[in-house]
Amino acid sequence: VKFTCFVFSLFLCFLLFTGCTGSRHLKDLFIVEGLGIDYYDNNLSVTLQGLKVNVSNASDTPLGNMVVNTSASGTTVSYAINNIAKAVSKRAFFGHNKIIVLSKELAQNDIKNYIDSRADVAICVSKEKAKFILESKENDANVPSENILFLINNNEETGQSILVNENEFLMLYEDKYSDIYLPVIERKDDESTVESAGIALFSDNRL
């Protein structure tokens, strides 16, 4: 029964964020490569980094060679994402998402409220605003989010940091005997690329 409910919930999420992709053209989708969540004045701000496919919205900010960043606010992450979808007139597609960046301010709340999907997507905490992290051009990389994920993965292999995905995070969250930990990243200024900044340990599900 639990498995059936999970499959049904997954199906509903798929409909919400992707629609019926078989009947849609690629130009109708905003293909997300990176997701950032910030906390502003008791409200949430979500930044999506997506592949540029016929980008024409003047409010979008082109980065690198292949992506564009778009942000919107909302009382929940879902509402903010829906507002982005309306602004770009595209359906958000998360099948290619590489990373979720949570700002330090956001992580000081119960971050379980913002992570509700069991997926193989990396999660990290940023010292600065998540939007500022995703704005990094990463030396004009085609897809900056991929570079950030590579940084975290490489640092785990060398023992300097860790790599945690959504599924692993939720397992830690549900295990009352385990500590929650996430990699920390930072970007020092507008000209800098993203760097590793250690590991964040959580107490009572808060940073």
Side-chain angles (χ1 to χ4, degrees):
V1 175
K2 289 184 178 179
F3 177 78
T4 302
C5 291
F6 171 73
V7 172
F8 180 70
S9 298
L10 190 63
F11 175 72
L12 289 180
C13 290
F14 180 81
L15 289 179
L16 176 62
F17 291 123
T18 69
C20 185
T21 55
S23 64
R24 290 181 175 272
H25 297 291
L26 185 61
K27 64 182 180 62
D28 296 323
L29 299 177
F30 190 78
I31 303 173
V32 178
E33 296 287 334
L35 165 67
I37 310 176
D38 290 304
Y39 190 71
Y40 287 102
D41 299 326
N42 297 319
N43 212 7
L44 297 176
S45 177
V46 171
T47 299
L48 298 183
Q49 182 173 107
L51 294 180
K52 290 191 286 188
V53 180
N54 296 330
V55 172
S56 59
N57 192 324
S59 66
D60 293 342
T61 306
L63 300 171
N65 295 321
M66 297 175 58
V67 300
V68 62
N69 279 10
T70 305
S71 301
S73 299
T75 54
T76 67
V77 173
S78 295
Y79 282 143
I81 291 173
N82 286 338
N83 288 335
I84 291 176
K86 292 176 182 177
V88 300
S89 300
K90 294 175 182 287
R91 177 81 67 172
F93 175 72
F94 289 87
H96 288 202
N97 189 28
K98 305 292 190 302
I99 193 167
I100 297 174
V101 183
L102 308 175
S103 69
K104 181 180 178 180
E105 292 87 352
L106 187 84
Q108 290 171 343
N109 294 280
D110 188 343
I111 57 177
K112 173 60 171 61
N113 296 326
Y114 315 110
I115 306 296
D116 60 2
S117 171
R118 293 184 179 274
D120 188 21
V121 178
I123 309 178
C124 63
V125 174
S126 62
K127 286 188 174 182
E128 301 79 19
K129 295 294 185 184
K131 179 180 180 181
F132 183 65
I133 293 293
L134 291 179
E135 286 174 344
S136 173
K137 295 182 179 180
E138 294 298 297
N139 296 320
D140 290 326
N142 287 336
V143 182
S145 291
E146 287 186 348
N147 274 40
I148 298 172
L149 176 59
F150 176 81
L151 168 73
I152 297 173
N153 185 62
N154 186 61
N155 284 335
E156 181 188 51
E157 292 178 354
T158 59
Q160 301 177 60
S161 188
I162 52 173
L163 179 67
V164 179
N165 62 35
E166 286 182 279
N167 185 52
E168 292 167 336
F169 165 79
L170 289 176
M171 289 176 64
L172 290 172
Y173 186 93
E174 293 166 358
D175 185 352
K176 63 179 67 177
Y177 301 107
S178 296
D179 292 325
I180 299 175
Y181 49 84
L182 290 174
V184 181
I185 57 177
E186 65 179 348
R187 183 184 173 210
K188 295 180 179 178
D189 54 54
D190 290 341
E191 303 302 320
S192 299
T193 57
V194 176
E195 300 176 359
S196 177
I199 299 173
L201 293 176
F202 290 74
S203 177
D204 294 327
N205 306 322
R206 292 172 170 80
L207 184 61

